[in-house]
Amino acid sequence: MHLPRQLGALHDLPDTPEAYDAVLAGVAEQALARLTPEGNLEHPDCVDDIGDTSLGVTSLLALAWRRGKDPRLPEAVRHSLAFHLRERVYTEDNPGYPNLKVRGSGLPYARYTLAAGAHPIGDWPSTVWALLQAVDVLDLAEGLVEDEQRAELVAVAHGYWRWLTEATFFNPQEAGNQAIGCVVGGLMLARHLPAADGDAVRERALRVYEEEIRAHRVRDRGALLPPEHGGAYDNNYGPISLSFLAQAHRISGEEIFAEDGDALARYIDARLPTGGFDNGGPRYSEQHSGFESVLGLRYFSARIGSDLGRYRGDTRWGRHAVKADGSVDGHFAWMLVWQTQDTTRWHRTPSTTPARHQLRAGSVSVAFDDRMTPSLVEASGIYYLPAAVNRQHGFGPVTDGFLHCRPMGEVRVRDVRADGLTAKLVTKPVVGRDHVLRHVRSLYVTDGTSLWTTVAVQRLPGTPYLLAGLPYAADDGDRVRRNAEGQVTSAGVLRLTHPEPEGEDHFDARADRTQEEAAFALAADPRGYGNPDLGWSHLVGSSALEAEPALGGPEDLHVFAVRYGATGPYAPAFASDGSGLTVRTEAFTAVIGEPAGDAQGEPELSLRAV
């Protein structure tokens, strides 16, 4: 089976002016055919996320007219705008909406679902989206919209802003993308208001960003990130936040948005493997955005000098939101407007700057979590997730069911490049259930095609093995398919095991099921509202690659050696002379320093190709 949403790399979508003109021309034809006598441009199957969609298509028609001057479009813009102002602007409180600070304010808002009292929790983001569609129409209104209608839209947009920032609690879903989007709406709105009002809105928008968003950032893997639905990052919404930061910087010039966007972009770059697959987050786990991410990934790929466009998006949404029949939906239409207007080009080559939480060269990559344990390994187009044993997740030595990967002290990292090889040495102190402190030294070396992993630890009792990953997915052209096998060899006996018990808390890679489905099944809340990362953390056991210690290692150490991305015999040699551990493979010789490190305690590593 294929994963349903991780399709092609977003930078493979043509992004020339001609390509965007063709997209807009197609949208215009669909919209003109759909436009009802009342002026409605909503998709007939739209129920949820509906409050901004007709206005979103209106903004696309306005942009299409600006670029192509199709004489059929001005009347369609005015007619559909009148529909939104007449039928989709609500001023009476939605029954059941729980986040109001002021009842009966009379301020306008947009509904997530049109029926009164039906799922009102989504009204806050829907009003953000309606504000963004409105300011886009205002930006494009000259020559299209009469003064009276324009003035009415300005008043409604200002009312949206006041409802979002005065009548309700700000960002009630703790969703960074929604919150930053609201700030962007305020910054864009300010340009259409009288000077005094505009200055006040701009000042308030910047203050809201500082106090309500930036001050609440969450640290993950060394980066401060806007929290997303209660977590540090979501692989669906995180890149959307990056797009909002890009637009905020484009329109305001405020350096704070560039700085925070750079930090988020470098974080995404570090967690993203060469092939662009990613999973994880407090909301959707494996669902990927499409066109909503393009602006941010493209804008910041140029700023940080790395190929962020390798991100595998949902290319069914590569240009704009669509319904099941493939027809255009106006949801998030502002992202297509902004990316069409932006002239930034993709940066298509990887960054050469070493990143603490990533090892990457050629088609091989390792992303590391906060504990410097691999969160994702990629080699030969196969992706490995951390395996689970006895409710513990990660890569590392296991003895008597205990996984030695959680550090009990400072984790140190050394990056080395030599002779076409890229290496990272991670040293961490760990404590087992016997309360003995041991140092785990993990060496990762790649030539861009294969990955050699060597893990050394003071000798363990019993019959230890290395938990070496859960084979999960593989590249398959422009798709990613589920996978239950790896291309792995080991210096010790290697086995691929599968959990014997059945049930939600045991994940068998051979089953016709995705990680996302399993994670939501284990989450406490309903799908769509639960935290799949937290759900997945409840996994008891999974399919796992297990490697026994290599033969011929030093007597005082257990050494595990695993090679990803290559087949055939693998027989590395090891030697220890008291100053370090020497590892000799068919491709390189490395000397891993003793756990004490150098005079500053930093790990020592030397490397040369054979």
Side-chain angles (χ1 to χ4, degrees):
M1 62 178 291
H2 286 103
L3 300 185
R5 297 178 182 88
Q6 299 208 28
L7 307 176
L10 290 181
H11 64 197
D12 289 343
L13 293 168
D15 64 342
T16 62
E18 294 78 13
Y20 285 120
D21 285 338
V23 171
L24 292 169
V27 169
E29 293 301 329
Q30 281 194 50
L32 290 171
R34 178 188 300 170
L35 186 66
T36 69
E38 297 77 23
N40 189 353
L41 286 170
E42 293 161 359
H43 191 285
D45 292 340
C46 192
V47 176
D48 296 340
D49 269 325
I50 192 173
D52 69 301
T53 60
S54 182
L55 189 58
V57 179
T58 301
S59 73
L60 296 178
L61 294 181
L63 180 62
W65 182 81
R66 278 244 168 269
R67 295 171 70 90
K69 295 297 188 282
D70 184 332
R72 300 173 298 169
L73 299 184
E75 178 56 30
V77 168
R78 290 189 285 268
H79 194 36
S80 60
L81 177 55
F83 168 81
H84 179 84
L85 293 172
R86 184 180 67 250
E87 302 290 344
R88 293 297 181 257
V89 178
Y90 295 83
T91 55
E92 294 183 359
D93 295 349
N94 198 350
Y97 185 71
N99 299 313
L100 289 176
K101 294 195 296 183
V102 179
R103 296 204 177 274
S105 69
L107 292 170
Y109 66 95
R111 285 187 177 174
Y112 177 78
T113 300
L114 299 181
H119 203 79
I121 195 69
D123 289 355
W124 199 88
S126 288
T127 304
V128 175
W129 309 154
L131 171 61
L132 292 169
Q133 313 286 24
V135 292
D136 270 354
V137 172
L138 289 171
D139 281 354
L140 299 163
E142 186 176 353
L144 278 175
V145 178
E146 301 295 337
D147 290 347
E148 183 178 350
Q149 197 178 41
R150 181 189 178 280
E152 185 179 359
L153 182 59
V154 170
V156 166
H158 196 185
Y160 284 155
W161 169 255
R162 292 189 57 201
W163 187 86
L164 290 164
T165 58
E166 297 174 22
T168 75
F169 288 95
F170 185 81
N171 190 23
Q173 295 183 20
E174 298 183 14
N177 75 98
Q178 298 172 10
I180 304 170
C182 181
V183 168
V184 171
L187 294 171
M188 295 182 70
L189 170 67
R191 304 182 299 183
H192 297 283
L193 298 174
D197 291 339
D199 289 346
V201 169
R202 177 185 170 93
E203 180 183 344
R204 178 67 188 276
L206 293 174
R207 187 167 68 251
V208 163
Y209 183 75
E210 283 273 14
E211 297 175 359
E212 301 290 343
I213 302 172
R214 200 166 199 260
H216 298 280
R217 289 177 298 169
V218 178
R219 185 176 296 277
D220 185 46
R221 307 186 195 193
L224 285 171
L225 309 171
E228 189 53 67
H229 286 284
Y233 176 82
D234 185 277
N235 70 344
N236 180 32
Y237 291 127
I240 296 175
S241 285
L242 193 65
S243 287
F244 283 130
L245 288 169
Q247 180 68 359
H249 185 243
R250 287 181 68 233
I251 62 173
S252 73
E254 294 288 340
E255 194 60 25
I256 190 172
F257 299 118
E259 292 173 0
D260 291 355
D262 288 348
L264 177 54
R266 291 192 179 98
Y267 172 90
I268 293 173
D269 191 34
R271 70 175 288 137
L272 202 63
T274 299
F277 167 85
D278 192 15
N279 75 298
R283 190 66 182 271
Y284 284 126
S285 191
E286 284 183 351
Q287 293 189 31
H288 269 41
S289 47
F291 77 103
E292 315 101 294
S293 301
V294 168
L295 175 67
L297 294 170
R298 191 174 67 191
Y299 191 81
F300 285 101
S301 74
R303 283 190 55 90
I304 71 169
S306 195
D307 56 337
L308 294 177
R310 69 189 189 274
Y311 175 94
R312 282 187 180 268
D314 188 339
T315 49
R316 297 170 301 184
W317 278 40
R319 298 304 193 180
H320 47 68
V322 297
K323 289 299 183 185
D325 62 0
S327 298
V328 65
D329 177 16
H331 190 48
F332 267 54
W334 64 85
M335 288 296 190
L336 177 56
V337 174
W338 300 343
Q339 65 175 271
T340 303
Q341 295 169 331
D342 180 46
T343 59
T344 307
R345 301 276 65 84
W346 289 109
H347 183 98
R348 295 179 177 273
T349 56
S351 171
T352 58
T353 303
R356 176 179 174 90
H357 294 91
Q358 181 195 61
L359 173 74
R360 182 184 173 201
S363 60
V364 172
S365 50
V366 184
F368 296 86
D369 64 17
D370 245 351
R371 305 176 305 186
M372 288 306 297
T373 296
S375 61
L376 185 66
V377 171
E378 173 196 24
S380 293
I382 300 175
Y383 302 101
Y384 306 83
L385 301 180
V389 58
N390 197 26
R391 301 184 186 275
Q392 302 161 91
H393 300 209
F395 289 73
V398 176
T399 179
D400 296 329
F402 184 84
L403 174 60
H404 297 261
C405 73
R406 292 170 297 281
M408 184 66 70
E410 191 66 25
V411 179
R412 299 177 186 264
V413 177
R414 177 74 182 273
D415 288 284
V416 171
R417 288 180 178 169
D419 302 335
L421 301 169
T422 304
K424 188 183 293 286
L425 174 62
V426 177
T427 65
K428 63 174 76 172
V430 299
V431 175
R433 290 203 170 113
D434 57 5
H435 289 233
V436 174
L437 180 70
R438 294 177 173 87
H439 292 271
V440 175
R441 291 174 288 171
S442 302
L443 173 65
Y444 307 87
V445 180
T446 180
D447 60 359
T449 301
S450 299
L451 172 69
W452 292 264
T453 300
T454 305
V455 178
V457 60
Q458 286 97 333
R459 203 159 189 86
L460 295 163
T463 55
Y465 63 87
L466 182 74
L467 197 65
L470 158 65
Y472 177 69
D475 291 338
D476 188 11
D478 285 342
R479 302 295 302 271
V480 177
R481 66 176 160 78
R482 282 282 288 105
N483 183 56
E485 298 178 351
Q487 194 174 104
V488 182
T489 51
S490 171
V493 174
L494 180 70
R495 53 187 174 265
L496 176 59
T497 64
H498 302 286
E500 292 183 4
E502 296 182 357
E504 305 287 4
D505 54 2
H506 289 81
F507 187 82
D508 191 327
R510 299 167 299 181
D512 192 21
R513 195 177 203 191
T514 67
Q515 184 269 350
E516 177 183 324
E517 291 170 332
F520 269 114
L522 292 168
D525 297 309
R527 183 180 177 88
Y529 304 97
N531 184 336
D533 272 4
L534 186 58
W536 187 252
S537 72
H538 296 152
L539 195 70
V540 174
S542 73
S543 298
L545 287 162
E546 300 176 355
E548 294 186 1
L551 299 176
E555 291 186 359
D556 60 336
L557 298 176
H558 272 127
V559 180
F560 308 89
V562 174
R563 182 182 61 187
Y564 301 82
T567 58
Y570 180 46
F574 309 96
S576 178
D577 59 5
S579 62
L581 173 67
T582 299
V583 181
R584 293 186 177 88
T585 73
E586 75 281 9
F588 64 86
T589 297
V591 180
I592 304 171
E594 290 299 302
D598 61 16
Q600 286 73 46
E602 296 301 320
E604 295 181 285
L605 173 65
S606 65
L607 178 70
R608 62 179 175 83
V610 172

